[in-house]
Amino acid sequence: MPRGKGKLERWERNKSLGCVHEPDLRAVAEGDAYMRGAWAREVFGSDAPITLELGCGQGLFTVDLATRRPDASFVGIDVKGHRFWRGAAAADRAGLPNAAFLRARVQWLDRFFAPGEVRDVWLTFTDPQVNDKRGTKRLTSPYYLRLYQQILGIGGRVLVKTDSPEFYERTLEDGPAAGLELVDACADVPGAEIGRFDAETTRALSFITAYEERWLREGRRVRYVELRKTCDVPAELAEEARRM
């Protein structure tokens, strides 16, 4: 199948899936909001806590989380809708009421989610952007971490799973620099002792993404970081994060 044709077919398929949300990104870029503050009521019909997976790729991790946790709601986010088509189709087939997918850019998160609307944010094997000096591309730079805090409630978490030692180390530095509490850090998830993590985290980390399977075959270590919001971001730093 020609490469472009596959994308077009997936985009068309997404239109028929009720769990997929594809807002007008041009309007959002100009400042419009979409479903902001209304996910629990209008999408999930439940006040269960909401977890996001940013840069969700195929979306299968989002589906796994939703399957394991029927008492919570999950939104997989990626700017390329043809990527999460597979997960969205799986959620649709399974009839998962607590899984949704959103085509969006991460830098516009606060136009999709209101303050305190989100409980947790997952980042799984995102591009480490090791040459990003300004922090405008790396998704755990202080700018992005402050953006996440604007939609997280107090006690909300940023959960990171990566194979990149550079991404891991910079996340450990930038989490506290952005005002987040460092709760946990593990430099070798597969090699961690039994009982190292709580039950919920153990279940989540047990899902092996396609990237992770490849990295493990190549002998790379998988790392995990957990950061927690303990206070609101000062207004001037929040505004700086939006501008960046």
Side-chain angles (χ1 to χ4, degrees):
M1 177 186 296
R3 190 173 181 179
K5 184 178 179 181
K7 288 184 180 180
L8 291 175
E9 289 184 354
R10 290 174 180 179
W11 287 333
E12 284 301 311
R13 174 61 172 154
N14 278 347
K15 294 178 182 178
S16 69
L17 299 174
C19 62
V20 172
H21 296 261
E22 295 191 294
D24 182 343
L25 296 188
R26 184 184 298 273
V28 172
E30 293 174 354
D32 284 4
Y34 176 85
M35 298 301 297
R36 191 172 187 265
W39 288 86
R41 181 180 68 254
E42 297 187 21
V43 176
F44 298 115
S46 166
D47 60 0
I50 296 173
T51 292
L52 311 182
E53 184 194 1
L54 306 183
C56 68
Q58 294 184 350
L60 297 177
F61 180 54
T62 295
V63 173
D64 185 74
L65 290 173
T67 301
R68 294 173 185 263
R69 291 292 310 278
D71 59 328
S73 300
F74 300 88
V75 184
I77 300 175
D78 205 298
V79 72
K80 297 185 178 181
H82 66 278
R83 287 182 176 172
F84 61 60
W85 164 83
R86 190 181 303 276
D92 182 72
R93 287 194 303 271
L96 291 174
N98 61 332
F101 292 87
L102 171 66
R103 180 171 176 258
R105 292 188 181 278
V106 173
Q107 59 262 44
W108 299 335
L109 274 182
D110 62 341
R111 300 177 190 177
F112 297 100
F113 300 93
E117 191 172 9
V118 174
R119 184 190 71 166
D120 290 332
V121 170
W122 269 100
L123 295 165
T124 54
F125 300 99
T126 58
D127 189 332
Q129 297 287 352
V130 294
N131 296 318
D132 178 28
K133 304 300 183 183
R134 297 181 64 208
T136 57
K137 297 179 181 180
R138 184 169 45 83
L139 295 187
T140 58
S141 76
Y143 298 119
Y144 279 103
L145 292 174
R146 288 173 185 141
L147 177 62
Y148 307 153
Q149 289 179 78
Q150 293 172 55
I151 63 173
L152 288 169
I154 299 297
R157 303 176 300 169
V158 178
L159 309 167
V160 180
K161 195 178 182 185
T162 181
D163 67 295
S164 167
E166 295 86 359
F167 192 76
Y168 175 73
E169 294 296 337
R170 295 187 74 176
T171 300
L172 293 180
E173 295 174 4
D174 288 343
L180 290 162
E181 176 189 7
L182 177 60
V183 176
D184 200 357
C186 179
D188 184 12
V189 171
E193 65 273 18
I194 296 175
R196 170 72 172 73
F197 307 106
D198 61 42
E200 180 182 350
T201 304
T202 298
R203 287 193 297 268
L205 292 175
S206 68
F207 181 82
I208 307 299
T209 69
Y211 281 115
E212 184 173 359
E213 186 175 2
R214 174 183 171 184
W215 304 151
L216 291 173
R217 286 200 306 268
E218 294 179 3
R220 301 192 195 184
R221 289 187 178 183
V222 173
R223 297 159 170 84
Y224 170 73
V225 180
E226 179 180 336
L227 303 166
R228 179 184 295 143
K229 176 180 175 179
T230 59
C231 60
D232 290 325
V233 176
E236 64 275 14
L237 293 179
E239 184 55 36
E240 181 185 30
R242 290 190 186 97
R243 288 199 307 270
M244 294 301 290

